Amino acid sequence: MAPNADQNRLRQRLHNHDNDIQESSDDQAITSTTVKNLKDIKSTEVVIDGIIYDLKNFNHPGGDSVLLFGGNDVTVQYKMIHPYHTAKHLEKMKVVGKVNDAKQDYLFDTEFEREIKREVFKIVRRGREFGTNGFYARAFFYIGLYAILDYYWTTQPTTLKLAIAFGVSQALIGLNVQHDANHGAVSKRAWINDLLGFGADMIGGCKWNWMCQHWTHHAFTNHHVKDPDAVNAEPILLFNDYPLGHPKRKFFHRFQVLLFLPILSFYWLSMVLNPQTFTLQHTGAKEVGICMDNDFLKSRRIWATLIRFVYIYLNILRPFWNNGGMEGLYTTAFHVLTMGAAESLTLACLFALSHNFEHVDRDPTKSVRTNGKAVCWFKSQVETSSTYGGFIAGALTGGLNFQVEHHLFPRMSSAWYPFIAPKVREICAKHGVRYAYYPWVWQNFWSTVKYMHQAGTGSNWMNPLKGDL
């Protein structure tokens, strides 16, 4: 297909659709709202390449999770989740108009994208990108481990060893089960992804909030204003490397290299006690412009609330009861917090490595602001991510050590990443795209430590010739 075939087809379709609307005398409502602003689209509508689609009666093959982003421009999310699709696939949805204020920072269908998709799809054929037998074996092993430890955690007096083991087992569910599932990468069958996606709630999180935040992060990785992961820890931690004198810089950020691990150890507690679970209004996603006030999320609030209360009862209140109530109050509190810290550090440390390391591109769309030039989305995903280790690290981390591959193909099962990684590196080298690879996890971690220090002190912005140091 020619590079601009999709765009031309889309323009022709919209032109024909507009003519049909103008010639119709019995559809005045649609005619009067053909052109809208983004903020005016309905909660059952989405915008893709400037065109408004109504999802109300659309039978989405991937399930009703498509309604999660109702009321938003999902151009980038749509293209990253559907790498095989062309504009012809969009003809299955009802067009109801277009917007006049849609702007895109990213380019798609570039030469780099076409080659990397062409070569990767030779390795992983269409329709086979979902979970393998090896993936299911790994997933059910971790589910079984979690179930056994959860049984002891909720029925027996707690111990320090049990607290650490159970905390790590929860993290393994987050890495190896819910992550693939909530990306729609486990199975073609939407109900399997939906069911395993509740693994997020089994470990103290919330699948719907996670999807709002995480899919947005994937679409706009390290974007200076649109990546919720980049700003979630502010004002306590800075992951963005702001210029010197930026209002978000505080004096204590100079010491964040010493503080970021202790702070990350409270990640679990911040999830469990997060009131956003009851409203399904994820602050990070909301702050970067994602509208979450749609009917789909409203209908899930009651379920999110019930699941959260069940989790708190089983994993926080039950241990106090099993340890003798007030008699073991302090010991139980210590064990619960230790369990949470074990989960937090296992998850958060690995997540922190992914996009915060030396020489990472922390502002991939800078050229859009400086000269109006959009950037290749695929290239930006590579240069904002890192990969470490190999197959064994992948089996432990759910393939999240292959962050480059994961960000290029987020709806591909993590089981395939070790197989496509060599080809991805080869094509990146051919196109001059910087690929960050660390043979060992500790090397990536040390690079992250140094980056956190640089981001906190602003040393990347200092000029020793001017006396900044």
Side-chain angles (χ1 to χ4, degrees), residues 358-380:
E358 293 178 291
H359 312 301
V360 64
D361 189 349
R362 286 300 312 189
D363 191 2
T365 59
K366 183 178 180 180
S367 64
V368 179
R369 304 194 306 278
T370 56
N371 57 32
K373 185 178 180 181
V375 299
C376 171
W377 184 83
F378 271 66
K379 178 177 182 291
S380 75

Side-chain angles (χ1 to χ4, degrees), residues 138-374:
R138 174 185 7 127
F140 285 110
F141 170 79
Y142 289 128
I143 291 172
L145 176 65
Y146 168 90
I148 293 171
L149 292 173
D150 195 25
Y151 169 78
Y152 283 106
W153 180 257
T154 57
T155 62
Q156 305 296 319
T158 60
T159 65
L160 184 60
K161 290 182 180 178
L162 178 60
I164 295 172
F166 182 51
V168 172
S169 76
Q170 290 189 100
L172 292 172
I173 293 293
L175 295 168
N176 291 276
V177 181
Q178 74 86 21
H179 191 274
D180 271 47
N182 284 324
H183 272 288
V186 171
S187 173
K188 290 181 181 179
R189 297 177 177 86
W191 71 267
I192 295 179
N193 294 315
D194 199 38
L195 178 63
L196 294 181
F198 282 105
D201 300 80
M202 292 166 56
I203 65 174
C206 172
K207 69 171 288 182
W208 295 297
N209 272 339
W210 188 91
M211 292 172 72
C212 286
Q213 173 265 328
H214 195 70
W215 284 21
T216 305
H217 156 68
H218 265 268
F220 303 104
T221 309
N222 285 5
H223 192 286
H224 72 294
V225 294
K226 293 183 179 181
D227 182 359
D229 278 16
V231 298
N232 267 353
E234 294 177 0
I236 301 174
L237 294 177
L238 292 184
F239 288 110
N240 276 328
D241 189 8
Y242 294 110
L244 294 173
H246 193 281
K248 289 193 175 183
R249 285 194 174 277
K250 309 298 179 185
F251 76 93
F252 53 82
H253 291 139
R254 301 173 189 175
F255 312 103
Q256 71 173 17
V257 69
L258 303 174
L259 302 174
F260 86 100
L261 285 180
I263 291 170
L264 291 180
S265 70
F266 289 95
Y267 174 63
W268 171 84
L269 195 62
S270 70
M271 287 196 303
V272 173
L273 301 181
N274 193 343
Q276 297 162 27
T277 302
F278 311 125
T279 63
L280 295 186
Q281 296 282 305
H282 189 280
T283 299
K286 193 173 183 178
E287 285 182 354
V288 300
I290 299 298
C291 173
M292 292 171 287
D293 192 28
N294 56 58
D295 294 339
F296 175 81
L297 287 174
K298 289 178 181 178
S299 69
R300 266 56 180 181
R301 288 174 183 171
I302 182 63
W303 297 110
T305 300
L306 289 173
I307 294 170
R308 175 52 43 84
F309 284 143
V310 170
Y311 181 88
I312 291 174
Y313 169 73
L314 290 176
N315 297 299
I316 298 178
L317 299 182
R318 285 287 302 177
F320 281 98
W321 177 268
N322 296 332
N323 286 346
M326 294 302 295
E327 284 185 24
L329 178 65
Y330 295 111
T331 299
T332 308
F334 176 69
H335 288 168
V336 169
L337 291 175
T338 299
M339 177 271 287
E343 176 185 339
S344 299
L345 290 174
T346 305
L347 284 174
C349 284
L350 295 177
F351 290 158
L353 307 183
S354 306
H355 311 291
N356 306 284
F357 51 91
E358 293 178 291
H359 312 301
V360 64
D361 189 349
R362 286 300 312 189
D363 191 2
T365 59
K366 183 178 180 180
S367 64
V368 179
R369 304 194 306 278
T370 56
N371 57 32
K373 185 178 180 181

Side-chain angles (χ1 to χ4, degrees), residues 396-455:
L396 294 171
T397 66
L400 295 184
N401 58 311
F402 294 99
Q403 277 294 307
V404 173
E405 291 70 25
H406 176 53
H407 271 253
L408 290 173
F409 301 99
R411 206 183 171 209
M412 179 181 289
S413 171
S414 58
W416 290 106
Y417 295 150
F419 300 98
I420 70 171
K423 180 59 68 175
V424 170
R425 291 174 206 165
E426 176 188 323
I427 297 170
C428 287
K430 175 181 176 181
H431 287 265
V433 176
R434 187 173 66 252
Y435 183 110
Y437 175 69
Y438 300 90
W440 299 96
V441 63
W442 68 264
Q443 295 169 320
N444 198 163
F445 179 78
W446 184 241
S447 184
T448 296
V449 169
K450 290 195 282 188
Y451 171 78
M452 292 301 292
H453 177 63
Q454 293 167 354

